[in-house]
């Protein structure tokens, strides 16, 4: 795919949705961090239901740490893998209090040192909470990048590096939101909705579908 096509793809994404946002509900960097940890292999809708119960009771590292694993599990037991997630969140809260004064760190290295925080989670927090130029490649972005030809790669890190290189700079900050939303609602895994796709004429996917 050439640079002119990529520029037009992101120009259209921006035109349709000038200020894209994550679908996770949060009101602070810490709330976002916990929501992203909980969202692994879970839906944003499911996470939002759990945090809607949790955050009014505890929404700081100290407050959630005080709940303990069992206390926290009661709030998040509707989410997949809640037992291991509860342990990770409690340990993360302990480290945030002890090492970071209760604040969410703003570097990838410090974030990835927290339990339950991998490269993708760190990138989401850095981009969404702190507006840093990072690219969080999830299954949707990996699929869209490969299927369309925007940034094909064999693994998520390769796709991340290509997107950081190829996405036009003026669109880079918000691009991961556009790509996630496109993968979630249009470029679906089983059958992409090519007939409803804003970038169908620019996409290099060979097996275009109708929406029938």
């Amino acid at each position: 795919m050439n640079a002119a096509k990529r520029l037009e793809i992101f120009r259209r994404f921006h035109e349709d949705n000038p200020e894209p946002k994550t679908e996770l509900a949060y009101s602070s960097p810490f709330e976002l961090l916990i929501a992203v940890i909980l969202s692994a292999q879970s839906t944003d809708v499911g996470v939002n239901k759990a945090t809607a119960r949790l955050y009014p009771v505890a929404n700081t590292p100290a407050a959630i740490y005080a709940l303990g694993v069992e206390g926290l599990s009661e709030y998040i037991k509707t989410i997949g893998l809640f037992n291991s997630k509860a342990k990770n969140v409690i340990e993360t809260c302990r480290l945030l209090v002890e090492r970071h004064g209760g604040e969410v760190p703003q570097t990838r290295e410090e974030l990835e040192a927290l339990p339950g925080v991998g490269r993708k989670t760190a990138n989401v927090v850095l981009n969404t909470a702190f507006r840093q130029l990072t690219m969080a490649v999830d299954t949707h972005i990996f699929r869209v990048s490969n299927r369309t030809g925007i940034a094909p790669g064999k693994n998520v890190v390769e796709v991340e590096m290509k997107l950081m290189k190829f996405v036009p700079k003026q669109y880079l900050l918000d691009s991961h939101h556009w790509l996630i939303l496109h993968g979630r609602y249009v470029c679906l895994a089983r059958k992409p909705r090519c007939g409803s796709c804003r970038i169908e004429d620019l996409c290099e996917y060979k097996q275009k579908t109708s929406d029938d």
Side-chain angles (χ1 to χ4, degrees):
M1 180 175 286
N2 62 40
K5 273 190 179 180
R6 289 193 189 94
L7 181 63
E8 178 59 15
I9 284 171
F10 286 98
R11 188 199 67 76
R12 291 183 194 178
F13 284 156
H14 177 266
E15 182 178 70
D16 292 349
N17 186 3
E19 296 183 1
K21 300 283 190 290
T22 177
E23 294 187 319
L24 289 169
Y26 73 98
S27 61
S28 69
F30 173 71
E31 286 188 2
L32 176 66
L33 171 63
I34 299 307
V36 180
I37 293 173
L38 295 178
S39 72
Q41 296 177 271
S42 304
T43 66
D44 288 359
V45 172
V47 172
N48 288 342
K49 286 180 181 176
T51 56
R53 295 189 298 271
L54 171 64
Y55 289 160
V57 176
N59 70 341
T60 66
I64 290 182
Y65 182 64
L67 291 174
V69 173
E70 286 188 17
L72 175 59
S73 294
E74 284 301 307
Y75 290 97
I76 66 169
K77 61 187 177 184
T78 53
I79 298 174
L81 309 175
F82 74 92
N83 276 320
S84 61
K85 288 176 182 178
K87 290 172 186 172
N88 283 336
V89 167
I90 292 299
E91 183 64 8
T92 282
C93 288
R94 182 184 71 80
L95 293 173
L96 288 175
V97 170
E98 291 182 2
R99 296 183 184 173
H100 302 287
E103 298 295 320
V104 177
Q106 297 189 34
T107 70
R108 188 200 312 280
E109 293 72 27
E110 289 174 308
L111 283 167
E112 287 189 22
L114 300 170
V117 179
R119 185 180 185 89
K120 185 191 77 174
T121 297
N123 281 338
V124 171
V125 173
L126 292 172
N127 178 271
T128 304
F130 301 123
R131 305 302 282 162
Q132 294 185 25
L133 291 175
T134 62
M135 183 64 63
V137 179
D138 69 350
T139 55
H140 296 301
I141 293 183
F142 185 77
R143 179 174 68 253
V144 170
S145 298
N146 276 288
R147 188 184 272 168
T148 61
I150 291 173
K154 296 183 186 70
N155 55 60
V156 291
V157 174
E158 189 177 337
V159 169
E160 176 188 333
M161 296 307 166
K162 285 191 176 182
L163 285 168
M164 292 296 292
K165 179 180 178 181
F166 291 143
V167 174
K169 288 294 178 281
Q170 66 266 45
Y171 298 122
L172 188 56
L173 189 60
D174 289 322
S175 59
H176 107 264
H177 290 309
W178 288 317
L179 291 168
I180 285 175
L181 294 170
H182 192 66
R184 190 171 285 168
Y185 297 111
V186 182
C187 199
L188 308 179
R190 287 190 176 179
K191 184 185 178 186
R193 300 175 59 229
C194 299
S196 304
C197 179
R198 187 77 161 82
I199 62 167
E200 183 188 11
D201 57 315
L202 302 165
C203 170
E204 298 183 353
Y205 184 51
K206 296 290 192 290
Q207 297 154 286
K208 298 275 173 64
T209 67
S210 68
D211 285 358
D212 299 333

